[in-house]
Amino acid sequence: MGNLLILSTAFLCLCLFVALLYVLYKYWWVPHRVQFIMNSQGIRGPPYEFIHGNNKEALQMQKEASSKPMALTHDIFPRVMPYDYSCIKKYGKNYLSWNGVRAQLVITDPELVKEVLKNSEKAFSKPKPLYFFKKLLGDTIPTINSEKWARHRKLANHAFHGESLKIVKQREEKVMTGEVDSFGHDFLGLLVNAYHDPDEKNRLSIQDVVDWQDKARAEVIEIFGNQNPNSEGIAKLKTMTMIINETLRLYPPLNGVVRKAVRDIQLGKLVLPNYLDLNIRFIALHHDPDLWGDDVHLFKPERFSEGIVKATNNNAAAFMPFGLGPRTCVGMNFAITETKIALSMILQRYTFTLSPTYVHAPLPNLSLKPQHGLHVLFHSLH
């Protein structure tokens, strides 16, 4: 009996010792080794804190930034991602950060960004999604990899191609044939319904061109008149395209993406260990004065007057609101076309301004959103 007790105690001590070694290895040795490897290559950042990494400080800064509104300016990076903003200021365009025990190389250097996102050797994969996102999105394009992702992507490309321009026409046809009794109750449906108002007094007038809204309205009226948008006209909306691109530059839907080094690999002049994540911050590139000039925080759609390539000086990583490379958002063209349809239909009937009750407080919440809603006043043109 005594020997059995001794053996049990010894086994328990051995298990505890192994567990302690594992904890020390995972939560102390690996992080400090990664930190040493990256520091030796000139990549620095906030020091690793046991277990929680830099999350505690980052969450605190985010909480403080979100607790108060900001001035009505497009310089949103310090509010939307205050921790990243402060680290870039302190450590440079590329720095090492810690998401718990997981090391993250935050990249805002455009050349490195292009190398990661356009990589054809599959050296940088999409990390396994968090449980919450997996449950929320299921097996969809944002959450899957490899062959399964390729199949889904191909199907989605086929589904999105050209479909968005059929939306209005399909709704009209169903109403005309009596299949349904309304154009729908979403925003687009209400706009289509307005175009079929029996009141013949609903005529549009062209305002003087004094700002970008008026320029866009004049373009819409010139191309479509009082008619619903069509595919041929959508392709001619140059002014609206400039406005949309500048808005996406200042307010990118996603702040960034994460990739994982699947093996030890060289990136530029850096040698990365395979347990390193790469965090690419779109918003930092979109608000970088080195890429966009000293007027980077001003709303200037004319930047895009000669197209995206000219606006970015042929630097694809300077403007990527929908990502870059093989995993560029499959719904990009659909979303932009849908936006053009909705904006065209609004501009044909209304002028709009920010409400006095609007509070400027952009907030990253899955995608970038106004924290307190978007309060807009619409004024009928007739």
Side-chain angles (χ1 to χ4, degrees), residues 126 129 133-134 136-145 148-149 152-153 327:
K126 193 175 181 70
F133 291 107
K134 185 69 173 178
L136 179 66
L137 301 175
D139 283 337
T140 55
I141 288 175
T143 62
I144 55 179
N145 280 305
K148 192 173 185 180
W149 170 80
H152 279 242
R153 175 83 186 200
R327 279 191 174 267

Side-chain angles (χ1 to χ4, degrees), residues 222-233:
E222 179 183 354
I223 293 173
F224 300 123
N226 293 345
Q227 303 302 311
N228 286 334
N230 55 66
S231 56
E232 183 181 352

Side-chain angles (χ1 to χ4, degrees), residues 153-163 330:
R153 175 83 186 200
K154 185 176 181 179
L155 289 170
N157 276 331
H158 178 74
F160 277 121
H161 182 67
E163 290 300 314
V330 70

Side-chain angles (χ1 to χ4, degrees), residues 15-32 48 50-51 101:
C15 288
L16 290 173
F17 179 70
V18 171
L20 178 62
L21 285 179
Y22 173 78
V23 169
L24 288 174
Y25 174 79
K26 182 177 181 180
Y27 295 97
W28 188 87
W29 168 252
V30 171
H32 282 84
Y48 167 73
F50 189 65
I51 297 181
V101 297

Side-chain angles (χ1 to χ4, degrees), residues 36-205:
F36 174 78
I37 291 172
M38 300 310 297
N39 285 352
S40 66
Q41 300 179 78
I43 299 295
R44 306 196 176 277
Y48 167 73
E49 299 291 340
F50 189 65
I51 297 181
H52 67 74
N54 305 137
N55 288 344
K56 187 176 180 181
E57 184 180 359
L59 288 172
Q60 181 61 34
M61 291 182 70
Q62 187 70 63
K63 184 178 179 181
E64 290 177 5
S66 302
S67 66
K68 52 185 179 296
M70 61 178 290
L72 195 56
T73 169
H74 303 303
D75 185 10
I76 66 170
F77 188 20
R79 184 186 197 275
V80 172
M81 309 201 77
Y83 188 73
D84 294 83
Y85 177 79
S86 65
C87 285
I88 289 172
K89 288 290 186 183
K90 186 174 182 179
Y91 302 109
K93 289 184 181 291
N94 309 310
Y95 69 92
L96 189 67
S97 184
W98 297 92
N99 181 17
V101 297
R102 190 78 187 179
Q104 289 191 337
L105 177 61
V106 179
I107 302 174
T108 63
D109 179 282
E111 295 306 314
L112 296 185
V113 168
K114 285 188 286 187
E115 191 172 339
V116 172
L117 294 183
K118 289 188 173 183
N119 186 272
S120 59
E121 299 178 3
K122 300 180 180 179
F124 304 105
S125 70
K126 193 175 181 70
K128 185 177 179 180
L130 296 174
Y131 178 80
F132 168 77
F133 291 107
K134 185 69 173 178
K135 284 294 183 182
L136 179 66
L137 301 175
D139 283 337
T140 55
I141 288 175
T143 62
I144 55 179
N145 280 305
S146 62
E147 291 79 9
K148 192 173 185 180
W149 170 80
R151 290 197 301 271
H152 279 242
R153 175 83 186 200
K154 185 176 181 179
L155 289 170
N157 276 331
H158 178 74
F160 277 121
H161 182 67
E163 290 300 314
S164 57
L165 293 176
K166 299 177 183 177
I167 294 173
V168 174
K169 185 173 180 60
Q170 288 174 347
R171 294 191 187 191
E172 288 178 326
E173 289 176 351
K174 287 182 178 181
V175 171
M176 298 308 176
T177 58
E179 185 178 342
V180 296
D181 58 5
S182 76
F183 296 105
H185 300 290
D186 60 356
F187 191 60
L188 184 58
L190 294 174
L191 287 171
V192 177
N193 186 67
Y195 269 87
H196 291 269
D197 195 313
D199 187 351
E200 294 184 0
K201 293 186 296 182
N202 291 344
R203 295 292 181 262
L204 305 182
S205 61

